[in-house]
Amino acid sequence: MSSLELNGRKISLKRGDITREEVDAIVNAANSSLLGGGGVDGAIHKAGGPEILQQCKEIKARQGGCPPGQAVITSGGKLKSAYVIHTVGPIWRGGSGNEAETLASAYRNSLALAEEFDLKSISFPSISTGAYGYPLEQAAEIAIKAVKEYCRKESGSIEAIYFVLFDQFTFDAYKQALQS
Ligand code: ADP
């Protein structure tokens, strides 16, 4: 584990499976349909059970899904985390389609939603760097910058932010970004 304390809040990096986290909310790298998919999305729905998908369907019926950069919240179902925050990262298309800003928004809006629910701890996966193809080093820099910015704020409920990274390659990229 690698960590950094900023303004009384702690950012920590670890390798692991996000579905096993015991935090107030885990973040899902969902797709706009909110109907589940592969990667971390599939793992979260599989571990959390049908209640999460049911709530996603209700949200979809109300607001037609979740656009890239936005976030929605459901319960954690059978997970040890009370909530799942579903956010949608950008699909990498070479960088000229505002991907960096969309990725930063996905982190910011997830944190804002956690704060709305007065949550104290949250775990993120590496959004967009799997199937969505975002270059890892750039994505790590954007992710770390967005959470550091949150931590510098005067007020806000979140005290602990984790990045739960599936493989060593991804962990190393986030470690590099955290240290720079
Ligand atoms: P995206 O579509 O946003 O790229 P993916 O799920 O394809 O999302 O990949 C995002 C990251 O999540 C990748 O680094 C992938 O290895 C990782 N990942 C997959 N399963 C898990 C899991 N259970 N816990 C944490 N990270 C995971």
Side-chain angles (χ1 to χ4, degrees):
M1 183 123 88
S2 184
S3 64
L4 176 77
E5 207 158 311
L6 254 184
N7 204 14
R9 308 180 210 273
K10 199 166 177 186
I11 303 169
S12 308
L13 313 180
K14 55 175 155 175
R15 271 196 67 183
D17 176 352
I18 202 167
T19 64
R20 303 172 81 94
E21 287 289 284
E22 298 183 35
V23 285
D24 293 336
I26 64 169
V27 177
N28 181 16
N31 58 54
S32 287
S33 79
L34 295 177
L35 297 181
V40 71
D41 195 4
I44 288 171
H45 282 288
K46 184 161 180 242
E51 187 183 327
I52 300 176
L53 185 60
Q54 184 51 40
Q55 291 178 31
C56 283
K57 284 181 180 164
E58 285 162 20
I59 294 165
K60 187 176 163 67
R62 263 200 320 272
Q63 66 180 56
C66 182
Q70 301 295 306
V72 301
I73 191 166
T74 66
S75 85
K78 294 191 292 182
L79 297 170
K80 288 187 176 125
S81 321
Y83 297 95
V84 177
I85 292 174
H86 306 262
T87 191
V88 181
I91 296 172
W92 179 256
R93 294 199 162 92
S96 55
N98 222 18
E99 289 99 318
E101 184 48 34
T102 305
L103 186 59
S105 292
Y107 284 99
R108 283 192 218 113
N109 285 319
S110 297
L111 291 164
L113 199 48
E115 203 171 291
E116 243 178 75
F117 278 69
D118 208 28
L119 306 185
K120 291 190 167 53
S121 56
I122 183 168
S123 293
F124 284 98
S126 176
I127 298 166
S128 281
T129 66
Y132 280 8
Y134 209 111
L136 181 57
E137 281 72 21
Q138 293 176 48
E141 234 170 76
I142 290 166
I144 295 290
K145 181 162 175 258
V147 303
K148 279 185 177 169
E149 272 168 16
Y150 174 83
C151 290
R152 289 196 189 94
K153 290 202 319 176
E154 275 311 306
S155 62
S157 63
I158 307 168
E159 294 165 357
I161 301 172
Y162 301 91
F163 284 95
V164 183
L165 307 160
F166 215 41
D167 55 79
Q168 190 63 39
F169 193 62
T170 304
F171 178 86
D172 289 343
Y174 278 72
K175 190 168 176 187
Q176 180 76 34
L178 188 67
Q179 285 164 351
S180 67

